[in-house]
Amino acid sequence: MYKDRLNIILDIAQTINEDHSIEDLLAEFEILLREELEVGKVLVFTKSNNVWQNLLISGVTIQEAEAISVEDDLLQYSNIESITVSHPPKLKGFDAVIPLFHRFKAIGFVLIGDIEEEQQGISPTIKHLKLIQIISNLIIVFVENKRMQSALLEQEVLKKEMELASRIQNQLVPSEDQLPQTNKLNIHTYYKPHMGVGGDYYDIFKLSRQNIGFCIADVSGKGIAAAMLMSNFQAVMRSLFTTGSNFKKLIHQLNERVNASANNEKFITLFIGRYNLVTRRLSYVNAGHLPPILYDGKKKQLIPLEKGSIGLGMLDFVPSIEVGKVHIPKGSKLLAFTDGVVELEDGSNIDSSTEEIESVINNPENLEANFDVLRKIIGQFEDKVFDDISLLGIEFQ
């Protein structure tokens, strides 16, 4: 008998080592219990994603199995226990409860019973209790390992998808060597998504020989959903923003597109500008975005660019739009940014201030020097940053 038990354990161990599927192993476990050990009824409960589930139902109906609650009916058992005498109402028909533990934590329960309640001699379920516990432990550990492998594989697939999405999005955000080249402007940018992909976007491109268009935008929220919405928004922006665009009409068009794409679940803040290289006139609309800072090279002071409207996608229709217009003196600088650079996480609190970023730009130093300082500041507070960060700076010669 001892040899038979050892052979059974070795057979199960070999099946596990051959790395069969969970379904195949459970089928072999069921055959072993019913044909070799003469167990008539089997219920196996395991915990998956913090929810107790039936892993195996044999010899009883689904309704009988679903009537048993692990929390109410089984968690009280910490050792193998025969219930042939006590027979709790919901466990009627079963002869024993086998709890399975790992590091003092319940990871499974096995209920077993005979088909023939009035059979003579020692019940098979009682006779083989210890053996069934050993086999059950082997199988439950195997199932848990399989689940962990599957979860790790899913995480690896998700990681690769995120890396691909990040590469695609980085191609959509122009690098400095892709920016318009002109001796009348110095352009500097900085982009760092918080989660590999993000909801920030900036762009700057030639509308004509005399006009440069640029924008910076921020989707509410972070991650894949925000990145997908922003990628779509970039394509729409590129198709609608032309040298002859009427800003009020453009904002209404963009608002319609965002509403159609976001289904009222997200909104986008946007700053959009058009600069004439000859007249030095900047026209802009600030649609709910943090006001970019203009350093006036003549007056040596900062001017927030605030005129505009509400954010895109906040309402079905934008009720009021004001187009800002400003003349840009030589030696001026403009810095546009998203809220990730001014909002820092401090414990459970969010500190938000533009004072530090204003102090960086509020001087006659060139924009490249200003950006060197900004990068150092961002690096110092990297562990407190909880959102995407984008900077777009333009120095007007």
Side-chain angles (χ1 to χ4, degrees):
M1 184 64 185
Y2 174 80
K3 186 175 181 180
D4 290 341
R5 291 185 177 187
L6 184 59
N7 286 335
I8 287 172
I9 294 172
L10 290 174
D11 285 344
I12 289 292
Q14 182 177 353
T15 302
I16 290 173
N17 288 334
E18 291 172 355
D19 200 25
H20 288 278
S21 68
I22 292 176
E23 291 74 18
D24 289 343
L25 185 62
L26 289 175
E28 187 164 333
F29 181 46
E30 182 179 6
I31 292 171
L32 170 67
L33 290 176
R34 302 199 65 165
E35 296 183 5
E36 298 289 332
L37 303 182
E38 299 178 333
V39 174
K41 300 177 182 180
V42 185
L43 275 183
V44 180
F45 294 90
T46 61
K47 203 170 191 179
S48 176
N49 296 324
N50 290 321
V51 177
W52 287 101
Q53 298 176 342
N54 289 118
L55 188 65
L56 176 63
I57 301 174
S58 181
V60 296
T61 65
I62 293 176
Q63 291 75 17
E64 289 175 311
E66 291 179 344
I68 298 172
S69 165
V70 173
E71 287 84 356
D72 297 335
D73 305 318
L74 300 178
L75 282 183
Q76 59 183 298
Y77 297 101
S78 57
N79 296 296
I80 297 178
E81 190 163 331
S82 171
I83 53 174
T84 52
V85 178
S86 60
H87 261 155
K90 287 188 180 180
L91 306 185
K92 188 176 180 181
F94 292 98
D95 298 318
V97 179
I98 303 174
L100 307 172
F101 285 85
H102 179 65
R103 294 180 180 176
F104 307 104
K105 184 178 180 181
I107 61 170
F109 288 90
V110 179
L111 289 171
I112 53 177
D114 294 327
I115 292 179
E116 299 178 14
E117 299 293 340
E118 304 299 328
Q119 65 180 349
Q120 298 296 315
I122 300 175
S123 163
T125 59
I126 302 302
K127 183 167 57 175
H128 300 305
L129 266 181
K130 201 66 182 175
L131 175 62
I132 295 171
Q133 182 190 35
I134 293 171
I135 297 170
S136 298
N137 263 314
L138 288 172
I139 289 173
I140 293 298
V141 169
F142 171 82
V143 169
E144 289 301 309
N145 287 339
K146 276 285 189 181
R147 285 174 175 168
M148 287 176 64
Q149 289 174 9
S150 178
L152 289 172
L153 183 61
E154 289 178 4
Q155 289 177 10
E156 189 62 29
V157 170
L158 178 60
K159 180 182 177 183
K160 290 184 180 298
E161 289 178 350
M162 288 285 286
E163 289 172 351
L164 176 60
S166 179
R167 287 199 300 271
I168 292 172
Q169 189 176 41
N170 285 333
Q171 291 173 1
L172 297 177
V173 177
S175 59
E176 293 201 357
D177 60 352
Q178 296 173 319
L179 300 174
Q181 302 298 315
T182 171
N183 57 7
K184 295 185 177 182
L185 299 175
N186 285 330
I187 304 168
H188 291 275
T189 60
Y190 179 92
Y191 175 67
K192 186 172 185 180
H194 180 63
M195 299 172 64
V197 294
D200 281 8
Y201 159 64
Y202 63 80
D203 209 347
I204 183 165
F205 44 88
K206 278 190 175 182
L207 297 171
S208 67
R209 290 182 63 185
Q210 296 182 353
N211 289 285
I212 297 289
F214 65 94
C215 65
I216 189 166
D218 188 0
V219 175
S220 59
K222 298 181 282 294
I224 290 286
M228 290 178 65
L229 178 58
M230 189 54 79
S231 297
N232 179 64
F233 181 76
Q234 186 217 35
V236 171
M237 173 67 75
R238 281 274 184 160
S239 66
L240 295 179
F241 189 13
T242 65
T243 187
S245 293
N246 177 286
F247 269 149
K248 290 187 178 181
K249 181 180 178 181
L250 177 60
I251 292 299
H252 284 302
Q253 290 174 319
L254 292 172
N255 189 66
E256 290 176 4
R257 297 295 186 92
V258 172
N259 278 323
S261 300
N263 298 319
N264 298 318
E265 294 177 358
K266 292 184 179 295
F267 63 87
I268 295 177
T269 64
L270 166 73
F271 180 90
I272 183 169
R274 180 170 55 220
Y275 178 68
N276 188 296
L277 296 168
V278 177
T279 65
R280 307 187 68 88
R281 174 72 64 177
L282 171 66
S283 302
Y284 72 88
V285 172
N286 186 337
H289 199 77
L290 285 171
I293 302 165
L294 176 65
Y295 172 76
D296 188 313
K298 184 177 180 180
K299 297 179 180 178
K300 311 297 183 187
Q301 65 181 29
L302 298 181
I303 302 171
L305 304 180
E306 300 174 316
K307 294 181 179 180
S309 67
I310 62 172
L312 306 176
M314 290 182 173
L315 296 174
D316 291 339
F317 181 80
V318 181
S320 174
I321 303 170
E322 183 179 10
V323 179
K325 294 182 180 180
V326 59
H327 182 266
I328 307 293
K330 290 182 180 181
S332 298
K333 299 174 292 187
L334 183 149
L335 180 63
F337 46 91
T338 55
D339 54 12
V341 76
V342 298
E343 291 185 350
L344 300 175
E345 194 171 41
D346 186 11
S348 59
N349 300 316
I350 305 298
D351 293 331
S352 179
S353 174
T354 61
E355 290 182 5
E356 190 163 21
I357 201 169
E358 288 174 2
S359 66
V360 173
I361 200 76
N362 191 17
N363 53 66
E365 293 184 16
N366 62 49
L367 188 62
E368 184 176 2
N370 295 155
F371 261 69
D372 287 341
V373 175
L374 288 170
R375 291 188 186 94
K376 289 178 181 178
I377 292 173
I378 293 170
Q380 290 173 357
F381 296 101
E382 192 169 5
D383 59 331
K384 293 186 177 181
V385 173
F386 66 98
D387 203 352
D388 310 320
I389 295 177
S390 292
L391 301 171
L392 172 61
I394 304 175
E395 186 173 24
F396 303 89
Q397 303 294 347

